[in-house]
Amino acid sequence: MKVKMAHTILLVQATQKPETRTYSDYESVNDCMEGICKIFEEHLKKVNPDRPSITYDISQLFDFMDQLHDLSCLVFIVGVFLGVVCSWCKVVWDTMKLLGSCLNIKLDFALFVVFKAHSILLVQATGKPETRTYSDYESVNECMEGICKIYEEHLKRNNDTCPSITYDITQLFSFLDQLADLSCLVFDKSLGSYKPHNKDWVKENIYVMLRMQASSS
């Protein structure tokens, strides 16, 4: 399998503020690297609106990347996402070599309980790419709780005069269904990579979490 053609998700956080988080997805690592360059080019156009053309060298590109609060890449290989989080001076040039060596790892696809696994939540509210954001959690449970909090914040914004907010699971699921995208990447220690999950998986785990909370109360 050629790593260059692997589906890739780029996570970007411009500053320390969580609201500056966004993500993009690409059909290949090469497309992702080009996407990073385009992000920098768009930045240059914004800060130099009067220039008819934009030129830059790689050192300027790397300086821009170093100033970002977070820049991470998840590359889909054989059913899982390999996370690359490091100095992006190295990522741009060494990604192919790094991921190529990862292909030699023997993957075990046995299912296992992942409630304690680091999780990355990707959310896109509408069809507009600018509504994309992401959050990361130390466990699947925390991620599911985070999704509930997203809905609760939504309810508070739309019911700002209500002293308290209540809802049932069907209302929560209806809200999730209305989102343009909701995906969860869960770290599998046995694979050393992130496994992607869709809305249905999220709903199942929210249901399990709420049942566990109800039974323990």
Side-chain angles (χ1 to χ4, degrees):
M1 177 181 177
K2 293 183 178 180
V3 179
K4 289 184 180 180
M5 296 307 296
H7 185 259
T8 306
I9 296 174
L10 178 69
L11 308 179
V12 181
Q13 183 174 347
T15 71
Q16 289 183 336
K17 296 180 179 180
E19 55 265 31
T20 65
R21 289 178 170 180
T22 187
Y23 68 92
S24 305
D25 62 312
Y26 304 89
E27 290 304 312
S28 69
V29 173
N30 271 1
D31 287 347
C32 182
M33 298 302 107
E34 291 174 0
I36 294 171
C37 293
K38 288 179 181 178
I39 290 172
F40 180 51
E41 290 163 10
E42 289 300 319
H43 167 75
L44 290 177
K45 289 177 183 178
K46 287 179 182 177
V47 298
N48 300 282
D50 299 327
R51 287 191 181 181
S53 61
I54 298 293
T55 59
Y56 61 92
D57 60 37
I58 198 165
S59 63
Q60 292 171 304
L61 171 62
F62 285 173
D63 286 342
F64 169 74
M65 293 177 181
D66 288 338
Q67 290 170 12
L68 295 174
H69 186 70
D70 181 40
L71 187 64
S72 307
C73 190
L74 297 164
V75 182
F76 190 75
I77 298 178
V78 199
V80 293
F81 280 96
L82 292 175
V84 181
V85 184
C86 59
S87 167
W88 274 87
C89 292
K90 293 182 179 179
V91 169
V92 173
W93 295 109
D94 296 341
T95 296
M96 304 306 176
K97 181 179 178 181
L98 172 64
L99 294 175
S101 65
C102 289
L103 287 175
N104 294 324
I105 299 173
K106 292 183 179 179
L107 302 180
D108 176 15
F109 290 99
L111 294 176
F112 69 109
V113 178
V114 292
F115 279 101
K116 291 296 183 181
H118 183 260
S119 304
I120 299 172
L121 178 68
L122 307 179
V123 181
Q124 182 174 345
T126 71
K128 297 180 179 180
E130 55 266 30
T131 64
R132 289 177 170 180
T133 188
Y134 69 93
S135 306
D136 66 305
Y137 304 88
E138 290 305 311
S139 68
V140 172
N141 261 6
E142 288 182 12
C143 182
M144 299 304 106
E145 290 173 355
I147 294 170
C148 293
K149 288 178 182 177
I150 290 172
Y151 179 52
E152 290 163 10
E153 290 300 320
H154 167 76
L155 290 177
K156 289 176 183 177
R157 286 194 298 269
N158 291 303
N159 301 276
D160 53 359
T161 58
C162 292
S164 62
I165 298 294
T166 59
Y167 61 92
D168 60 37
I169 197 168
T170 58
Q171 292 171 306
L172 171 60
F173 285 178
S174 293
F175 169 75
L176 299 184
D177 287 336
Q178 292 170 10
L179 296 174
D181 182 39
L182 182 69
S183 306
C184 189
L185 302 167
V186 180
F187 189 73
D188 185 333
K189 287 184 179 180
S190 68
L191 304 178
S193 54
Y194 288 86
K195 192 167 185 179
H197 300 282
N198 59 17
K199 280 185 185 180
D200 289 337
W201 182 91
V202 168
K203 289 180 183 178
E204 290 173 6
N205 278 271
I206 288 176
Y207 178 74
V208 170
M209 179 192 70
L210 294 177
R211 283 198 63 181
M212 290 174 63
Q213 290 177 350
S215 62
S216 62
S217 61

